[in-house]
Amino acid sequence: MLSERPITPSTLSRKDLPWQIKWDINTCTKCGRCTSVCPVNAIELGVFRKRDVKPPMGLSAKPTTEFSTFYGIRQRTDPAYACIGCAMCNMVCPNNAIEPTRQYDSTTLQFQNNRGGQPRTRGGRRNNSESLLDQLKFIRISMLTDPALDAGRHEFEMRTLLGRVLSPEAELQCFRDNGWKPPVREIYPLVIGGMSFGALSPNMWEGLQMGVAYLNEELNMPVRMCTGEGGCPPRLLRSRFLKYVILQIASGYFGWDEIIHAIPDMKEDPCAIEIKYGQGAKPGDGGLLMWYKVNKLIAAIRGVPKGVSLPSPPTHQTKYSIEEAVAKMIQSMSMAWGFRVPVYPKISASSTSLAVLNNLVRNPYAAGLAIDGEDGGTGAAYNVSMNHMGHPIASNLRDCYKALCVAGAQNEIPLIAGGGIGKHGNLAANAGALIMLGASMVQIGKYVMQAGAGCLGSEKDRCNVCNIGVCPKGITSQDPRVYRRLDPEKVAERVVDFYLSFDTELRKVFAPLGRSTSLPVGMSDALGISDKDAADRLDIKYVI
Amino acid sequence: MCRLFALTSRDPVSPMRAIDALNVMKEGHDGSGVGLFLSGLGGPWEELKEYPILSGIFTEDGLVQVFDYMAKKGFQSKFSVTFKPDIEPPVGTPKRGTYASIAYKVPDDWKGLTKEQADRNLVQTRLNLRAMGEEGGDIMVFSFWPDTIMIKEVGDPLAIAEYLKLDREELYARHILAQGRQNTNYAINLYACHPFFIEGISTMTNGENTAFVPIREYLMSRGVTGYQGYQSDSEVFTHIAHFATRKLGLDISSYKHVITPMNDEEMADHPDREFLVSLKRSCRKLIIDGPNCVIGCLPDGSMFMAQDRKKLRPGVVGGNPELGIYGFSSEICGLNAAIPDRDRTKDFQPMHLDTAIVGPDCREVLQCSQKDPLRLRH
Ligand code: SF4
Ligand code: SF4
């Protein structure tokens, strides 16, 4: 490298990069696998020239200079090719000669990754490791007057209701009059949240569907999976597995055509319809399905030309107001399936969640409300949206639940909470806490990717290249060369594994609290937190 | 843990019989309190069946306030039984004043009211008095209902019974619920002491109701006069019984379908499956969870016992149809003490699907299983 190389505003040294490649010349076999697998071309094969000065003994002979060349790995310092720490290079290296290491004191890249006047977009997560859900403790352990239950031996009822549940009075009236009753589904309280067919690779999708089908058909766990916006593969729409699927239809109507065409051929009704108005990770903004991922199949399903970026609109332009949108879309979706399918909106948690809920209470067709908190996952979005927008789920959910209590309609409109559940692996504890704060069920996305398919992303901005179609694990890529890395059968196996262990863990939480015959929705007396303000805000016990 | 004992008899009997049964079961309770519900009253009350009786504990001041208040509202007192102990109370029992049961004639302007409105007014009157008492601590009201007396006090049941001379003839009753022990989970508060009462329905429970908070929130949001207070986690059982029978018009044998619905397999071949599924869904908020035994008495004098699904608390019903007396006990020794003269082979321990009901005629124990076809709804 020339000593007088030009220094521009975005010239970085290796030291400036958050991820550093450690490469060991002694163990490297020079196979070149690492460079070929690197999703962002952060490393390249390099030819290094080395000058060795050899001073001989004595004074008479002159020192000699020897030049040698050797081959090795060079980490690029161009911000566009910065290493993302995915460690794929290490995964393919036969000798562990190469690995990325995190350098925590380097923040320089953050100032450089908006090149060409384009703000950074990324897939992945919020990159904030705080988690209020992890701070919640279950404090109401039954010990004396009520011996704790045995999680392994007692009967446990772990199902929840999705759909508008009538009040006891209305239900009896309806039974007497043989009137129309809103459809209600009994499902498992942990739902795989909306991840679209465009965002996920076909292998990932297939794996999830297989896992869900297995859980339902072999293990009798009524697990449901949401499709995410942008339609659903036509074959699934016409298959009997549709009953395990919650079809998401976004306010932008992507993929709706495909669904509507399939309605006459549907053998089963879908489990429910989720109308997406917002996502937790990018509230008020649409998702970005970037051109890299819009291949022929995705283009066909969504009804767009191939290879164009698809920023989905936050809400459809024809919508005049959220009230109108919610009312009309719920009505028309319900009609499409003859009022046999629960239809509910999904919104991002925000200061206006209560207003939406208010609309729903008075809408007899509204089957629930999904609220997605700030930590909610996403295919892709702008950095700024992901890091700074949104409302934490716990307090938002609590407000909504309490509003329902005041209206006397708690659990009549099931609340579905999402956003940051199992962020640090504590899936059952987080889900249990949200149920006790008032959620009838919870939905997860990132956890499924991480546990089900080994997604490498972390809260420390690791990987997070889901948007550009190079997902090193093949989870979020539409490129067959990449996604064939992922074995759908294994994904299915992992999904089943973590569902079963979730189930056991949830029992281990509920049993000592003395609950087993119904989900402890709203059992807020079981929760405590060592943060006074949080305790006051959530109306739970303050414990230190 | 609380000990429960209930008696239902064709002829009025002394509440001491129930108290003695509690005393036999003393091993399980710490003697920290006693609560009594008496209905189907004998003695002087036989003639006064239609007049609501206000029962509670009052200081001198409190009594004056109550008389003023009731007079102002147009109630006329017809008869009263007051008792002011003149001896020192037993250890742990505070000196409170007068234990009174006063029968009133309802105001004339209630004439045009429907039964439902009149009932609600009675509840409201009780709540108003209770609220008045909560300010100054001079008034404590446990019930205001025809043919019903309630007594609650802190202390050992037997000592209290002697102190309050519960053997008095004015307290003879056909239906008696007695519970031993004060609240242990929450603060000591007479209102937290079982049995609980609303509009002729009274229940008592042992064990801990872990679903208390969500159920309380749900009941409070129903907008029913009287669903309030909740000093004890067991108070909700009474209100659920009230909600199921009075508000939903269900038969008491359906009470168990509300608090502990069957699971899918059990329900699969039930003739009323469709109804039960919808009941389970809409009443999901009222499902109890906890090892509880519930014993209750209804306005018509029938008495019932039901267990939670896990049935960790025993409970037994037995009696003598010839003598016309039946006992509901949380322990078999209590039953043996109170009704030794019975065919023990006919004792019934309701299991996780059963409700045991003894009608006002005290002839037999009706055993309803949740698997049976539903009885006609009201
Ligand atoms: S860690 Fe990933 S991004 Fe970094 S060099 Fe290795 S393969 Fe490339
Ligand atoms: S492994 Fe794939 S899905 Fe996970 S963060 Fe990386 S690119 Fe995204």
Side-chain angles (χ1 to χ4, degrees):
Chain A
M1 196 158 293
L2 298 173
S3 55
E4 72 274 23
R5 69 178 162 151
I7 294 181
T8 68
S10 52
T11 309
L12 299 182
S13 71
R14 250 191 66 166
K15 177 74 184 155
D16 294 312
L17 299 171
W19 292 97
Q20 309 262 306
I21 289 302
K22 281 208 312 212
W23 171 71
D24 180 7
I25 188 171
N26 297 316
T27 44
C28 178
T29 60
K30 318 228 166 32
C31 62
R33 290 184 194 178
C34 54
T35 50
S36 63
V37 82
C38 177
V40 293
N41 297 320
I43 43 176
E44 55 192 2
L45 289 174
V47 182
F48 301 88
R49 183 161 175 265
K50 194 169 175 191
R51 174 177 171 231
D52 241 350
V53 180
K54 295 233 162 107
M57 297 291 276
L59 295 172
S60 53
K62 282 200 165 168
T64 57
T65 308
E66 277 174 22
F67 289 93
S68 60
T69 356
F70 64 94
Y71 308 100
I73 301 297
R74 177 180 289 132
Q75 181 174 6
R76 296 167 76 168
T77 54
D78 182 339
Y81 299 98
C83 169
I84 53 170
C86 68
M88 287 309 283
C89 48
N90 174 272
M91 224 177 276
V92 296
C93 177
N95 291 345
N96 284 329
I98 185 166
E99 66 180 18
T101 53
R102 177 93 196 187
Q103 177 163 284
Y104 283 95
D105 58 3
S106 173
T107 55
T108 324
L109 184 66
Q110 271 166 250
F111 305 99
Q112 298 295 341
N113 59 18
N114 50 1
R115 305 227 305 179
Q118 289 286 328
R120 182 182 176 213
T121 58
R122 64 166 208 263
R125 41 210 38 79
R126 189 175 173 78
N127 293 341
N128 171 344
S129 38
E130 283 165 19
S131 166
L132 181 97
L133 295 180
D134 279 346
Q135 290 174 42
L136 292 166
K137 300 176 218 294
F138 303 106
I139 53 168
R140 189 193 188 286
I141 313 296
S142 300
M143 300 204 70
L144 290 171
T145 56
D146 187 1
L149 302 173
D150 184 331
R153 196 164 49 91
H154 275 108
E155 170 195 23
F156 276 81
E157 175 84 41
M158 298 295 246
R159 295 182 179 197
T160 192
L161 299 180
L162 174 60
R164 183 59 166 264
V165 181
L166 295 180
S167 68
E169 295 91 341
E171 180 82 40
L172 292 188
Q173 181 68 34
C174 180
F175 195 83
R176 268 195 291 271
D177 303 350
N178 205 8
W180 175 79
K181 230 174 23 182
V184 175
R185 309 274 197 245
E186 252 179 62
I187 67 169
Y188 197 74
L190 183 71
V191 175
I192 301 183
M195 290 180 286
S196 74
F197 190 69
L200 298 183
S201 68
N203 281 14
M204 179 66 184
W205 239 72
E206 201 184 330
L208 291 179
Q209 290 292 349
M210 283 196 292
V212 167
Y214 189 89
L215 284 164
N216 275 281
E217 296 186 353
E218 299 294 325
L219 302 175
N220 196 24
M221 277 169 87
V223 172
R224 297 292 180 264
M225 168 180 168
C226 183
T227 60
E229 111 176 85
C232 182
R235 212 153 61 102
L236 179 60
L237 288 172
R238 291 171 174 81
S239 78
R240 68 185 172 85
F241 299 108
L242 188 64
K243 58 176 183 274
Y244 308 138
V245 172
I246 297 172
L247 284 179
Q248 192 183 81
I249 290 156
S251 46
Y253 288 104
F254 276 144
W256 172 231
D257 283 4
E258 200 62 60
I259 295 173
I260 221 168
H261 289 146
I263 288 181
D265 305 326
M266 282 182 187
K267 291 190 192 64
E268 298 272 357
D269 284 333
C271 168
I273 306 295
E274 177 173 284
I275 305 171
K276 189 216 80 174
Y277 288 98
Q279 296 169 33
K282 44 190 171 198
D285 199 4
L288 296 172
L289 187 63
M290 300 177 92
W291 65 268
Y292 315 87
K293 292 169 76 170
V294 184
N295 65 12
K296 207 167 137 203
L297 178 62
I298 304 299
I301 290 178
R302 298 208 174 188
V304 293
K306 164 174 168 256
V308 295
S309 285
L310 296 177
S312 52
T315 45
H316 198 263
Q317 285 75 6
T318 57
K319 297 289 170 323
Y320 165 68
S321 68
I322 183 80
E323 294 93 318
E324 185 217 8
V326 167
K328 275 194 184 157
M329 280 190 79
I330 290 179
Q331 175 92 9
S332 52
M333 296 299 155
S334 301
M335 267 160 71
W337 277 275
F339 295 93
R340 293 186 311 267
V341 176
V343 181
Y344 64 89
K346 168 179 172 173
I347 56 165
S348 27
S350 71
S351 52
T352 55
S353 301
L354 279 176
V356 179
L357 184 64
N358 214 345
N359 291 324
L360 299 183
V361 174
R362 281 172 285 106
N363 183 338
Y365 303 117
L369 177 66
I371 313 171
D372 207 5
E374 60 175 0
D375 269 325
T378 169
Y382 286 95
N383 221 24
V384 67
S385 307
M386 234 183 289
N387 289 353
H388 302 285
M389 312 269 309
H391 196 302
I393 183 65
S395 53
N396 207 260
L397 169 77
R398 191 82 182 124
D399 290 349
C400 289
Y401 180 74
K402 295 194 116 187
L404 285 180
C405 286
V406 172
Q410 59 266 53
N411 306 21
E412 286 172 17
I413 297 188
L415 297 173
I416 307 163
I421 300 167
K423 183 171 168 177
H424 295 138
N426 307 318
L427 184 63
N430 290 178
L434 280 172
I435 288 173
M436 287 170 204
L437 288 174
S440 282
M441 64 198 85
V442 296
Q443 56 180 16
I444 47 161
K446 279 181 300 193
Y447 191 93
V448 183
M449 297 211 291
Q450 287 181 297
C455 160
L456 304 162
S458 79
E459 300 294 336
K460 296 272 184 274
D461 202 6
R462 185 178 173 201
C463 202
N464 294 351
V465 286
C466 330
N467 54 332
I468 49 175
V470 294
C471 171
K473 286 290 188 114
I475 303 166
T476 56
S477 165
Q478 298 298 346
D479 182 344
R481 290 170 301 178
V482 179
Y483 69 66
R484 69 176 172 226
R485 290 174 189 168
L486 196 65
D487 181 349
E489 304 270 350
K490 294 282 175 227
V491 173
E493 250 177 69
R494 287 290 305 140
V495 169
V496 172
D497 279 355
F498 84 71
Y499 258 99
L500 289 179
S501 51
F502 171 84
D503 195 61
T504 305
E505 283 197 3
L506 210 56
R507 285 162 201 241
K508 291 279 176 197
V509 172
F510 292 167
L513 307 184
R515 293 301 290 270
S516 79
T517 45
S518 69
L519 277 193
V521 179
M523 188 185 175
S524 54
D525 55 328
L527 293 178
I529 192 165
S530 62
D531 177 330
K532 179 83 178 87
D533 294 332
D536 290 347
R537 180 69 177 79
L538 298 178
D539 192 14
I540 57 175
K541 283 216 184 67
Y542 169 52
V543 287
I544 38 173
Chain B
M1 192 185 64
C2 305
R3 288 295 188 261
L4 316 172
F5 191 84
L7 267 181
T8 175
S9 150
R10 275 202 293 272
D11 305 311
V13 290
S14 161
M16 280 315 284
R17 249 172 117 156
I19 300 279
D20 286 334
L22 284 186
N23 202 43
V24 173
M25 299 191 280
K26 192 167 174 178
E27 254 171 40
H29 68 82
D30 56 2
S32 60
V34 64
L36 270 181
F37 159 88
L38 312 169
S39 79
L41 301 171
W45 303 103
E46 289 282 10
E47 311 302 312
L48 300 157
K49 289 269 185 239
E50 73 269 33
Y51 298 110
I53 304 169
L54 181 69
S55 39
I57 312 175
F58 311 92
T59 62
E60 291 296 320
D61 251 12
L63 269 181
V64 175
Q65 284 180 43
V66 168
F67 283 130
D68 277 0
Y69 179 85
M70 295 302 268
K72 212 160 71 215
K73 292 277 167 185
F75 287 97
Q76 277 169 19
S77 96
K78 295 294 282 184
F79 177 72
S80 67
V81 171
T82 56
F83 184 76
K84 195 168 174 194
D86 44 11
I87 48 171
E88 275 307 298
V91 186
T93 307
K95 224 178 157 66
R96 294 193 200 264
T98 306
Y99 297 76
S101 311
I102 313 162
Y104 282 100
K105 183 173 167 301
V106 296
D108 294 336
D109 50 3
W110 286 24
K111 285 238 163 61
L113 298 185
T114 62
K115 166 133 177 49
E116 205 177 315
Q117 285 164 330
D119 288 358
R120 201 168 46 226
N121 283 357
L122 286 181
V123 176
Q124 193 56 55
T125 309
R126 167 171 65 87
L127 296 177
N128 294 349
L129 289 170
R130 175 170 165 168
M132 270 164 60
E134 265 159 14
E135 283 162 25
D138 291 318
I139 305 172
M140 248 179 281
V141 194
F142 305 121
S143 62
F144 183 40
W145 197 257
D147 194 24
T148 302
I149 290 178
M150 289 196 84
I151 298 167
K152 297 182 179 186
E153 190 47 278
V154 177
D156 179 73
L158 203 57
I160 295 285
E162 279 158 16
Y163 172 60
L164 295 181
K165 304 216 171 29
L166 294 186
D167 213 7
R168 287 175 279 145
E169 234 222 298
E170 306 91 274
L171 296 181
Y172 276 36
R174 292 178 178 83
H175 315 297
I176 301 169
L177 299 185
Q179 183 252 14
R181 206 193 70 171
Q182 245 289 340
N183 216 9
T184 39
N185 279 355
Y186 305 88
I188 296 281
N189 176 330
L190 277 191
Y191 285 120
C193 183
H194 312 226
F196 301 101
F197 179 81
I198 184 166
E199 296 197 3
I201 296 166
S202 181
T203 73
M204 55 186 181
T205 315
N206 59 6
E208 184 182 7
N209 173 16
T210 49
F212 170 52
V213 168
I215 296 180
R216 177 187 66 187
E217 281 172 353
Y218 188 70
L219 288 170
M220 291 199 328
S221 69
R222 293 293 87 196
V224 177
T225 312
Y227 289 1
Q228 54 160 271
Y230 300 117
Q231 255 90 10
S232 162
D233 58 348
S234 295
E235 195 160 2
V236 298
F237 290 102
T238 315
H239 293 177
I240 298 174
H242 177 263
F243 187 68
T245 53
R246 297 287 298 257
K247 295 288 151 191
L248 301 182
L250 299 171
D251 183 88
I252 191 63
S253 60
S254 306
Y255 179 55
K256 205 154 182 335
H257 287 292
V258 174
I259 54 171
T260 62
M262 288 187 283
N263 63 27
D264 291 353
E265 290 98 76
E266 288 162 339
M267 227 188 263
D269 49 2
H270 198 287
D272 297 303
R273 187 177 169 277
E274 214 185 315
F275 178 75
L276 291 177
V277 169
S278 55
L279 190 69
K280 177 176 178 179
R281 287 184 176 168
S282 63
C283 293
R284 209 177 171 89
K285 285 81 63 169
L286 299 175
I287 296 179
I288 65 161
D289 231 329
N292 299 111
C293 171
V294 187
I295 299 175
C297 184
L298 300 175
D300 68 353
S302 33
M303 236 177 224
F304 66 92
M305 175 192 277
Q307 302 273 160
D308 71 296
R309 269 190 78 78
K310 284 150 242 153
K311 197 187 183 294
L312 293 177
R313 299 276 175 258
V316 60
V317 185
N320 187 328
E322 266 98 70
L323 302 178
I325 185 163
Y326 277 87
F328 293 67
S329 179
S330 64
E331 254 72 30
I332 205 141
C333 58
L335 191 57
N336 289 346
I339 315 177
D341 194 9
R342 68 178 200 280
D343 181 355
R344 293 182 191 200
T345 59
K346 295 242 167 67
D347 284 357
F348 177 53
Q349 286 209 308
M351 296 307 281
H352 74 293
L353 292 171
D354 303 321
T355 307
I357 304 172
V358 175
D361 55 355
C362 301
R363 281 189 198 286
E364 56 169 347
V365 184
L366 199 73
Q367 304 173 10
C368 320
S369 162
Q370 282 179 276
K371 295 237 176 187
D372 298 342
L374 287 183
R375 293 217 264 157
L376 276 182
R377 277 169 284 136
H378 291 167

